[in-house]
Amino acid sequence: MRLVDGDRPVDLLWAPSEVNDALAIWLPEQGILHGGAATPVDTIPNIGTPLRTQRFTVGWADTLHRLATLGADVLITEFGPVIKAADAVHERLSMTAEALLWLRAEVVRRMNLGMDEREILADMDYPPALFDHAWMLPTYGAPDYIVRDIYREENGWWDRNPTALHPTALHPTTLHPAPPNAAAAVILSAITDRQHVLDLVRTLAEDGQTQLALHVVDLLALAPGNDSEVEQARALKVELCRTRAREVDPYVSKACYASSARLLDAGHKSWTYLQ
């Protein structure tokens, strides 16, 4: 849409990216492009961030390729720096698009081999030529966030394993799961040496294997009731969440870990207390 006509025209361009109704502003006579939500400040596009609706990787890449063809001399990023020089603008737009398309191709390739989400996440290796750039930092967005969103878009919500333990809630089935409390209670009843679980959690934490410790601590921490070992597990999980918040790069993940620690520290094991 041409918003302003005359000697200094201003065009509005549809730029689906962070949201579907995003707009970019193009001043063709001056070679100035305001990329809006399609060009975030010095971070890989925030696709797949936790607690977000679906964002479409290929659509965002198409937008960036389309903006790159304009040949802008100046790019104004959303909340970020002004990029000057046509070559620098084109590199930032086109290379980000290529990275997004690479992610989509690699995730789908692995899906076609039968790999599930967690197997894909563990198998991915992000080439520096595409991802080691100042504007691709894993601060708001992150490559593994995008992998998960592509998987969700292409596969749906099922993790393809009808008997696997859910990675966060430890349901005994992910297709038609039992209520979380019931599942956690059954798992707790199957553990004959709870102290061993607690000792293993502490050992993993001391070894710097915080994420593995989180997987183990949930064997006890998610259980209902206030048994001594369960309470110890929840206290350990508070510290693990706080440690993990310092270890990860995306500040969205940092916030999720920190808020979970605050929830548990206040004596709540579920967000349903807010209802």
Side-chain angles (χ1 to χ4, degrees):
M1 173 184 178
R2 175 138 294 182
L3 184 66
V4 178
D5 212 342
D7 294 338
R8 301 179 66 187
V10 178
D11 294 333
L12 294 182
L13 309 175
W14 184 41
S17 47
E18 184 173 4
V19 291
N20 286 337
D21 57 355
L23 295 174
I25 303 171
W26 171 231
L27 284 67
E29 295 302 318
Q30 297 163 274
I32 298 175
L33 172 65
H34 189 299
T39 55
V41 56
D42 293 347
T43 176
I44 191 171
N46 54 322
I47 298 166
T49 48
L51 306 176
R52 290 288 189 273
T53 55
Q54 181 80 62
R55 291 169 179 170
F56 299 102
T57 305
V58 173
W60 199 324
D62 288 344
T63 292
L64 293 171
H65 272 312
R66 185 158 47 88
L67 296 179
T69 63
L70 296 173
D73 297 309
V74 176
L75 171 65
I76 303 171
T77 61
E78 185 182 41
F79 310 122
V82 176
I83 311 302
K84 298 182 179 180
D87 289 346
V89 172
H90 188 273
E91 180 187 33
R92 183 173 180 133
L93 295 173
S94 61
M95 191 164 289
T96 303
E98 290 304 318
L100 295 180
L101 293 176
W102 181 89
L103 284 167
R104 196 265 177 184
E106 290 300 308
V107 171
V108 170
R109 181 175 69 82
R110 286 167 172 80
M111 290 177 67
N112 288 336
L113 294 174
M115 298 172 70
D116 66 22
E117 181 187 62
R118 282 173 288 173
E119 289 172 327
I120 293 172
L121 286 167
D123 192 58
M124 292 293 289
D125 188 15
Y126 308 101
L130 288 175
F131 293 92
D132 285 3
H133 300 283
W135 65 86
M136 295 286 280
L137 298 175
T139 50
Y140 189 179
D144 55 329
Y145 284 174
I146 301 174
V147 167
R148 302 184 84 154
D149 224 38
I150 294 168
Y151 187 90
R152 177 169 59 147
E153 179 184 348
E154 299 290 346
N155 179 82
W157 53 262
W158 186 38
D159 68 1
R160 300 190 181 198
N161 189 342
T163 58
L165 297 179
H166 190 280
T168 56
L170 287 174
H171 297 152
T173 175
T174 61
L175 196 55
H176 296 284
N181 275 353
V186 169
I187 291 170
L188 182 66
S189 70
I191 299 173
T192 58
D193 190 348
R194 300 178 188 178
Q195 187 59 50
H196 174 70
V197 174
L198 294 171
D199 292 343
L200 177 57
V201 170
R202 294 187 178 98
T203 298
L204 289 169
E206 290 170 1
D207 289 345
Q209 300 184 74
T210 312
Q211 187 57 51
L212 285 178
L214 279 169
H215 286 297
V216 176
V217 80
D218 273 353
L219 293 171
L220 302 179
L222 296 179
N226 297 299
D227 290 356
S228 174
E229 293 91 348
V230 172
E231 290 286 359
Q232 290 180 62
R234 291 174 189 160
L236 282 170
K237 188 170 181 179
V238 169
E239 297 308 314
L240 291 170
C241 285
R242 288 175 175 154
T243 299
R244 196 73 178 117
R246 294 190 294 270
E247 292 175 347
V248 297
D249 290 322
Y251 59 76
V252 180
S253 291
K254 291 178 181 292
C256 288
Y257 283 118
S259 62
S260 295
R262 287 195 300 271
L263 179 83
L264 288 168
D265 215 14
H268 306 291
K269 66 184 185 68
S270 169
W271 296 104
T272 56
Y273 85 98
L274 294 171
Q275 296 179 358

